[in-house]
Amino acid sequence: MSKENGVIYRISGPVVTAVGISPRMYEVVRVGNEGLMGEVIELHGDQSVIQVYEETSGVRPGEPVVRTGQTLSVQLGPGLLTKIYDGIQRPLPELEKTMGVFIKRGVDADGLDLEKIWSFNATAKAGDSVSSGDILGTVQETKTIEHKVMVPPGVSGKIKSIDSGDFNVTQTVCTLEEGAEIQMMQKWPVRTPRPFTKKHAPEVPLQTGQRILDFLFPLAKGGTAGIPGPFGSGKTVTQQQLAKWSDADIVVYIGCGERGNEMTEVLDEFPHLMDPKTGEALMNRTTMIANTSNMPVAAREASVYTGITIAEYFRDMGYDVALMADSTSRWAEAMREISSRLEEMPGEEGYPAYLSSRLAEFYERAGRVETLAGGDGSVSVIGAVSPPGGDISEPVSQGTLRIVKVFWGLDAGLARQRHFPAINWLNSYSLYPPSLDQWYRDNIKSDFPEIRTEISALLQVEAELQEIVQLVGSDALPVDQQLTLEVARMIREFFLQQNAFHDVDTYSDLKLQYNMAKAILSFQEESKKAIAGGAALEDVVNVPARTDLMRGRFESGYEDKIDEMLEAMNKQIADTMEAN
Amino acid sequence: MTGKEYRTITDVKGPLVFLNKTEPVAFGEIVELRLTDGTLKNGQVLDTSDDQVIVQVFEGTASIDKQTGIKFLGDVFKLPVSTDMIGRILDGAGRPRDGGPAIVADEMADIIGAAINPYSRQSPSSFIQTGISAIDACTSLVRGQKLPIFSASGLPHNDIALQIARQAKLVGSDDDFVVVFCAMGITAEEYNFFVHDLERTGALENACLFVNLADDPAVERLITPRLALTAAEYLAFEHDYHVLVIYTDMTNYCESLRQIGAAREEVPGRRGYPGYMYTDLAMLYERAGLVKGKKGSITQFPILTMPGDDITHPIPDLSGYITEGQIVISRELHQKGIYPPINVLPSLSRLMNAGIGDGKTREDHKSVSDQLYAAYAQGRELRGLVAIVGEDALNERDLQLLKFADIFENQFLRQSRDEDRSIGEGTLDYAWELLSNIDTKYLVRLDQKWIDKYHPTDKKE
Ligand SMILES: Nc1ncnc2c1ncn2[C@@H]1O[C@H](COP(=O)(O)OP(=O)(O)OP(=O)(O)O)[C@@H](O)[C@H]1O
Ligand SMILES: [Mg+2]
């Protein structure tokens, strides 16, 4: 390998062709005098085609290309959490230290801090037989997360020695009889899924605190969801809400080809936001990958793999991991750009023919699994999709919708009306409720699924009535249908709308969601009675206590007051009968 | 390296020249072409290999023949930068256009511009008052934001951009903006309009112009904004200036991009534009912002005209996916004689929340803005309904909202080209006054505490 004399033959943007080496597919190579990092993506006669993860301007044919023998891998071990990386796991703060605020090239940086000392607490002991994925010990990685040090895949045997104590990630903490030495750091090639024992059906919801998501279109732990929407419709805000409030143990947030400022926002905000579950800063459970739109496209292509590999690694420890990728369309575009430089035969809209299989492979890495160690872990994947012109008939949206089980369809019209989250309740769907309903009955309320059905049914009826209203105006409808419209409006304005930027409204737990939904149905019930008793619809709808009930959701302690407010509303509604 | 001149052109196609048998030439290297009549042209390497080099010629390939000599200059495109650029007018390739001396370089800056490390960015959060109510109230601009104007031909986007350039200020600070203006393929008339206005208000002394007009080489447009942004970065991050970059018209830029793609026979993306247009635009738009440890900032106002007034056209669409909101100019409002004809409904400022509120603008700003939106949106929707069923079918609430839509357009939006409204009295108080045409019980987006404090008739003494 070292005798090979590789040189650059051609450079076309991020794609470089080399001759004089015969590397393996997906092997990492060093390109040019500056040793830019690249990955072999095609072998073609005596030519190796390489995608380069850094800017190539100024590089010339004839410069050297050197093999590394490695495939593109990430470093896994204590120190991943609270970090922000670029698409190929270079820590951005390290890059700042070596090259200032602008990202220059030709700089290497380890994904993990190799010097840092961690206190390793052995849980296995000498004489134990261990195999791939078994847990050897723990490290308190952040205030809230205990890192499990595992036997790397492919290694097994009887423990000869293992010690608790202070180690850095490259020091041996455990030796096997057969001689294998295990360190806290392991490496894993990003394009290969990490192994597990078997996949389970998802049956626990990923609670997000977002009413429309949890109540109407829930995602299961280990499930997959797609959020397509035109620009400015709320993909990023939704993803960030999930990163903040979902009840996952670990969050991996991938900013894939999107804005720099959005990543800065997360970095600024998360250390100050409190995890409702642990009372500690959300940053403790978060890893971020930021390969923004103006950073090299090849590294953007790699970023989703880097992210999902980290997610799987924490899953293997038995954690529930939620991964957000914003936006998978930018990843697909990176594939398209590279593919067109390779002069591959294009498929639909210029995307490579393998687009949909790449999408499927990616989402397939989600799931709830029995880990090699015998525990239960999950990776939930939520991918944003940015369809051109907001039209989801395009290949990335369609490829995604064929795979994911939850579709949160963002709607430009709703966003324009400032109805947030702008998720269209008529065309969005989740295929999980049948497998989750038992959980809701056991953990929230026995009639939870029925209440959900009633709420969705009302929204459907409203849509039909609205068509008539468009033609004749609402006054032409019979009073019971007018009431239905009012109830549906209450669902939309009070329940579905949720302000991500409001301290209180930003999060509602499932119990509160259930109570709010019940309050709406109760309003319908009481109003029907009152109207039947002679009250005017106008009076019923305008009882002040209803406004209080609705505005109350912006006050803290709402969950304790809602019952009382509901009673007050019901009473005032009943009183409208007497007034007549 | 700069010595040898090659005469090995094999093909010329559109703006591209293909040649072979060269020394190893760098990707992105700058090229000088000497035509047989002695004319000089410039270009840049787009593809390079041992066998073939593809050069994009900025001035177009007219008159190039196989005898044309090509010299590789050994370096990528760099712009001489210095604070002396302020007050100067340069052409689309960075050469003086105002008859003044060449810029004496304080530094030679690579025009591609490295990406700002996301970790090194600082979140923009200082409100910029533009004095235009529609923008200040509903799509507030903050320092370091990239907020394009989505317009269409025949609409007064230039007036709005100039009004912003004139009036933009940070409330309670005397930091001034330096304007970097970048023209791409606009007409001489439009250009004169800009220059005349900047001269009239004395702003030209505080501006640096890069000018590529409609009859200048189209391919040059691909570098003009990069030059402008390179200058902006230098001024902002080396010399602490707050820079406002106005560039117009992005649509012409994208047309040039499409032309290069076609000449290279690339597989086109939507409507013939290159598949990498998103990334290419991002490399411009993302050069806005603030960075840690530097005092200056870059705020961007790209102007683009939507072909066929279509917001889903790839140019506005891809821009909207990158920028931090957009200000949408409406033909309908323009035809009603309203200036500035800003349609606030599809307009958006993503960074607004960070820049408004107590201590920045006013505590009630968010509430007022939400309420204005909601009421105007519903009012406009009702116009459609009234057209079918007449006003009689409306209830009291709907009637008030319907009327409010007119009030909003004719009083809140409408202001003159030199009217500079302050955020407090000029804009927010005015909004309250206009909202008082609607019964308080229908103003559901307003917090009660703000109603108590600011509502003109509900005001408690
Ligand atoms: N749940 C929400 N609550 C309040 N405001 C919201 C919510 N969701 C979205 N918004 C508003 O919509 C704006 C745009 O949202 P966001 O940035 O998430 O859009 P996007 O779909 O990611 O757009 P792009 O594709 O351009 O990145 C936000 O800046 C915010 O003003
Ligand atoms: Mg987004």
Side-chain angles (χ1 to χ4, degrees), chain A residues 187-203:
Chain A
K187 287 188 183 170
W188 189 261
V190 298
R191 296 185 196 276
T192 311
R194 285 177 61 89
F196 51 83
T197 305
K198 66 169 186 253
K199 264 198 187 175
H200 288 308
E203 51 200 26

Side-chain angles (χ1 to χ4, degrees), chain A residues 231-237 258-259 420 498 500-501, chain B residues 320-321 350:
Chain A
F231 66 78
S233 57
K235 296 179 293 296
T236 304
V237 173
E258 291 287 313
R259 303 174 183 81
F420 289 121
Q498 186 169 6
F501 303 107
Chain B
Y321 271 122
R350 319 248 182 143

